[in-house]
Amino acid sequence: MKPETKINRRREEFPTLASGIHLLSHSLGPVPRAARESMIAYYEAWEHHTSEDAWATSWWEMSTRAGDRIAGILGGAPGSVQIQPNASIALSSVASCFDFNSSKRKKIVTSALDFPSMEYIWDAQSRVGARVEVVASDDGITIPLERLLKAIDDTTCLVALSHVSFRSSYRVDAQAIVERAHEHGALVLLDVYQSAGAIELRANEWQVDFLIGGTIKWLCGGPACGYLYVRPDLQKDLLPRLTGWVAHAAPFDFAPAPMRYPDSVRRFAQGTPNIPGLYSALPGLQIIEEVGVIRVQEESQRRTEWMIDFALEHGWKINSPRDVKDRGGSVMIYVGDGPEMVNRLGERRVFVDCRPGVGLRISPHFFNTDEEVQEAMAILSDLIS
Ligand SMILES: Cc1ncc(COP(=O)(O)O)c(C=O)c1O
């Protein structure tokens, strides 16, 4: 392995790490110790204030503040992120902005490597006039960039892809896709659930139109919330049909319809924000901000590179891209019986998961030591032989 970079792994702040080798950041990141105090602070705010006080003093603004912090991690400006219940709702909010039936642009370009919510939600839009084109993958691992670009034409309304695939860790070329889509007058949505917090994102520089994701994985925030980034200069053109009173310009007027949207990203809200979720997510966000995503990415690439070399030397099949620029933070290693191997690794205190047809999904994060990564791979070698 290349020499260790200087990084504060902050291991003592993650109690879960004492119970074994946690390589599951693509699924459930470990809880930061500070989340306990944060959740207690939530309880105390609820206990000591009347509900109106708690809303006035902090809860109402909390979603905006959390959104701005997530925007920073995405490489976006303050005011570009609205907290959502989860990533699927964030995607549905975007879908509800289009009127496929009355537009000449009916085509949604997605890919075979996206998360199933993507497929389900766009497929459901075909009932209201959308035409979905799913770009195929020949190997189940990658999709040639040219093939993705070729699918984008003047009938395309939106290109909606995973930035990093949950299935293979394949990373698409965001900049090239945005450029091609914008040349054809189409918008771009990237699902960054598997990249935010692991890979440096540049929402602003890419000029990407939408990003969706959530807190549970690489952001160490638990199953707290999703988020939706909308390019600031695009926001005012969109009127999501998936809406609610919190998205109104003056929610406390409790005015009758029609809906009046605010000139802010809050137009993509729906109802009451999940306040305990936000309390639980903030400590993880803070740690990622302090460690720095650029450093996390350097560490991730150094270790995933070593893992792939190790796997290939052992003759294992890698179901992730070989080239670091095409990859996110996970390495997928094919094994015949995934669930059985996950159990056997779990018995040896190595925590990973598996997906059908993919094999093991293994994800070192900044808090893992090099020794842990090496030990996990040695145990896997022991179990495979
Ligand atoms: C790439 C990707 N998108 C979306 C999701 C699901 O997000 P949510 O459950 O918040 O809708 C996941 C979760 O595993 C994922 O990996």
Side-chain angles (χ1 to χ4, degrees):
M1 202 180 287
K2 283 191 191 145
E4 199 157 335
T5 43
K6 208 167 160 305
I7 187 165
N8 183 355
R9 302 199 184 283
R10 303 177 68 146
R11 292 180 60 81
E12 66 295 344
E13 295 178 49
F14 293 96
T16 317
L17 303 186
S19 57
I21 303 181
H22 184 286
L23 296 166
L24 266 174
S25 289
H26 55 267
S27 174
L28 174 63
V31 63
R33 196 182 295 282
R36 180 189 285 268
E37 283 92 72
S38 192
M39 293 303 281
I40 290 171
Y42 158 69
Y43 173 84
E44 285 175 352
W46 188 13
E47 187 184 52
H48 292 123
H49 294 252
T50 67
S51 80
E52 294 295 319
D53 279 351
W55 283 110
T57 52
S58 65
W59 288 358
W60 190 249
E61 288 305 318
M62 210 170 175
S63 217
T64 311
R65 286 206 308 274
D68 285 350
R69 290 178 67 172
I70 290 174
I73 288 174
L74 304 180
S80 58
V81 169
Q82 174 60 47
I83 297 294
Q84 300 285 322
N86 53 54
S88 302
I89 295 291
L91 185 58
S92 297
S93 166
V94 174
S96 80
C97 294
F98 299 105
D99 184 356
F100 303 105
N101 274 325
S102 65
S103 165
K104 274 198 244 117
R105 292 182 181 271
K106 296 187 191 302
K107 179 152 99 170
I108 307 288
V109 175
T110 67
S111 95
L113 298 179
D114 298 333
F115 193 75
S117 287
M118 192 78 108
E119 204 177 325
Y120 305 152
I121 290 167
W122 295 121
D123 185 53
Q125 307 311 308
S126 61
R127 300 206 298 263
V128 289
R131 192 164 60 75
V132 185
E133 180 169 334
V134 182
V135 180
S137 162
D138 295 332
D139 55 5
I141 302 171
T142 60
I143 299 180
L145 177 63
E146 272 316 306
R147 191 181 292 174
L148 283 170
L149 297 181
K150 228 174 124 196
I152 305 168
D153 59 24
D154 292 339
T155 69
T156 307
C157 157
L158 181 74
V159 182
L161 302 170
S162 273
H163 182 228
V164 167
S165 169
F166 83 107
R167 195 179 283 287
S168 67
S169 199
Y170 174 58
R171 171 156 47 123
V172 297
D173 183 338
Q175 183 82 73
I177 289 164
V178 172
E179 275 171 19
R180 174 67 61 99
H182 286 183
E183 272 164 29
H184 285 277
L187 299 175
V188 175
L189 176 146
L190 295 176
D191 175 349
V192 292
Y193 216 143
Q194 291 293 353
S195 53
I199 299 284
E200 195 197 358
L201 301 177
R202 303 198 191 114
N204 204 15
E205 197 180 310
W206 294 337
Q207 285 291 296
V208 65
D209 304 288
F210 307 100
L211 301 176
I212 60 163
T215 51
I216 193 171
K217 304 173 196 292
W218 301 91
L219 296 179
C220 306
C225 59
Y227 53 82
L228 168 62
Y229 165 94
V230 185
R231 181 161 56 82
D233 51 332
L234 174 68
Q235 291 173 14
K236 60 180 179 340
D237 298 336
L238 302 171
L239 309 173
R241 288 186 300 277
L242 178 61
T243 190
W245 71 280
V246 174
H248 193 277
F252 295 101
D253 284 358
F254 302 102
M259 178 67 178
R260 191 160 58 82
Y261 294 93
D263 287 335
S264 74
V265 78
R266 187 163 52 76
R267 65 171 51 210
F268 300 94
Q270 298 94 27
T272 306
N274 174 7
I275 298 297
L278 294 175
Y279 273 92
S280 70
L282 291 176
L285 277 184
Q286 181 155 343
I287 292 174
I288 297 294
E289 285 166 351
E290 288 170 2
V291 175
V293 181
I294 295 182
R295 182 132 309 158
V296 174
Q297 174 171 340
E298 282 166 10
E299 271 302 79
S300 163
Q301 295 185 337
R302 186 173 68 82
R303 272 96 73 85
T304 52
E305 203 64 4
W306 177 84
M307 287 164 64
I308 289 181
D309 287 344
F310 183 98
L312 293 176
E313 275 163 26
H314 285 73
W316 302 340
K317 181 174 179 335
I318 298 294
N319 276 334
S320 295
R322 182 67 198 80
D323 193 332
V324 71
K325 76 169 179 12
D326 297 332
R327 200 171 64 230
S330 308
V331 174
M332 284 61 174
I333 297 176
Y334 182 75
V335 288
D337 187 342
E340 167 69 9
M341 188 55 87
V342 168
N343 286 340
R344 293 180 68 198
L345 284 166
E347 283 162 10
R348 306 273 299 262
R349 306 218 151 283
V350 175
F351 305 120
V352 301
D353 70 4
C354 65
R355 285 290 175 269
V358 168
L360 302 176
R361 302 194 301 171
I362 312 179
S363 301
H365 208 346
F366 72 95
F367 49 71
N368 292 114
T369 61
D370 284 4
E371 292 71 33
E372 280 188 321
V373 177
Q374 285 163 327
E375 192 185 335
M377 294 298 275
I379 292 174
L380 179 59
S381 161
D382 208 28
L383 294 176
I384 286 180
S385 57

